[in-house]
């Protein structure tokens, strides 16, 4: 029996970190397919994420998310971006072990700015900055737990972030290389 298929890279991080945008560009650059877990969930359920939250709440959404991610990780050989809360599942974190998981980071202010909109039920209404900070406080240790490497997307073009990730994937070294430095 051969080894199960493995994604080339899995992107994790908070809302607004650029997982979908960077994931698409990374997949194009590596000439592999791209999948976004949130879109896979909507396709599997035949309804939007806000609708899932409205009818079943976050617990139902997380159950569906865990199942869809588990199925995808078993057979997908491209670049996969996960929703910001996917790492809350212990089963998902276990499945991510040994994979090239790229943790995209971003600051609170930029994350809130990028995350405004109706498709973000956990940030809707009230003080979005306080809720975003609470999400980061809860999830950052989990992102670090599953990460093979960490890359900042704060104040960087998506092209530079992709080039940085490709460099690390191709070298097999999760640490950034120092460029242009003299000995």
């Amino acid at each position: 029996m051969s080894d199960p298929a493995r994604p080339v890279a899995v992107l994790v991080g908070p809302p607004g970190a650029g997982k979908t945008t960077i994931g698409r560009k990374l997949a194009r650059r590596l000439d592999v397919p791209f999948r976004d877990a949130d879109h896979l969930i909507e396709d599997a359920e035949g309804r939007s994420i806000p609708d899932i939250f409205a009818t079943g709440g976050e617990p139902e959404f997380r159950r569906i998310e865990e199942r869809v991610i588990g199925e995808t990780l078993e057979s997908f050989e491209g670049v996969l971006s996960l929703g910001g809360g996917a790492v809350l599942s212990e089963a998902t974190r276990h499945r991510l072990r040994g994979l090239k998981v790229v943790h995209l980071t971003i600051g609170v202010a930029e994350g809130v700015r990028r995350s405004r909109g109706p498709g973000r039920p956990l940030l809707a209404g009230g003080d979005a900055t306080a809720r975003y900070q609470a999400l980061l406080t809860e999830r950052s240790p989990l992102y670090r737990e599953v990460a093979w490497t960490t890359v900042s997307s704060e104040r960087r073009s998506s092209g530079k972030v992709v080039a940085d990730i490709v460099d690390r994937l191709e070298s097999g070294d999760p640490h950034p290389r120092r460029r242009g430095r003299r000995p």
Side-chain angles (χ1 to χ4, degrees):
M1 184 172 173
S2 64
D3 288 339
R6 294 289 191 191
V8 172
V10 179
L11 305 181
V12 300
K19 298 177 299 289
T20 301
T21 299
I22 290 166
R24 278 191 185 107
K25 290 182 177 188
L26 179 62
R28 255 192 315 270
R29 174 92 180 264
L30 297 173
D31 196 27
V32 297
F34 170 75
R35 298 287 180 272
D36 180 285
D38 287 347
H39 295 150
L40 294 171
I41 291 164
E42 289 178 337
D43 289 347
E45 292 298 301
R47 54 192 173 138
S48 71
I49 289 172
D51 287 345
I52 296 169
F53 269 83
T55 58
E58 186 174 1
E60 180 180 354
F61 173 76
R62 296 294 173 207
R63 179 186 57 74
I64 295 165
E65 178 181 55
E66 182 179 293
R67 176 182 52 83
V68 169
I69 289 170
E71 291 168 359
T72 304
L73 289 174
E74 287 178 11
S75 60
F76 184 61
E77 296 184 17
V79 174
L80 175 65
S81 71
L82 302 186
V87 295
L88 295 170
S89 162
E90 186 175 338
T92 296
R93 292 192 313 273
H94 179 75
R95 288 178 177 118
L96 292 172
R97 287 191 186 116
L99 300 180
K100 301 287 192 210
V101 178
V102 179
H103 170 206
L104 295 176
T105 63
I106 191 167
V108 173
E110 184 67 8
V112 170
R113 186 187 69 75
R114 291 184 188 180
S115 298
R116 295 208 183 269
R120 311 276 188 171
L122 292 178
L123 296 175
D127 186 352
T129 300
R131 275 196 314 288
Y132 194 93
Q133 181 60 60
L135 288 177
L136 276 183
T137 299
E138 176 186 27
R139 297 173 182 178
S140 288
L142 303 175
Y143 297 138
R144 287 190 301 271
E145 176 187 325
V146 300
W148 171 74
T149 192
T150 300
V151 178
S152 173
S153 63
E154 178 90 13
R155 297 185 187 157
R156 297 176 73 200
S157 72
S158 57
K160 287 184 180 182
V161 174
V162 167
D164 190 358
I165 296 168
V166 168
D167 228 19
R168 296 176 196 207
L169 290 171
E170 288 178 349
S171 72
D173 184 353
H175 306 289
R177 292 191 214 170
R178 304 272 183 215
R179 294 176 193 241
R181 296 190 82 186
R182 295 180 185 197

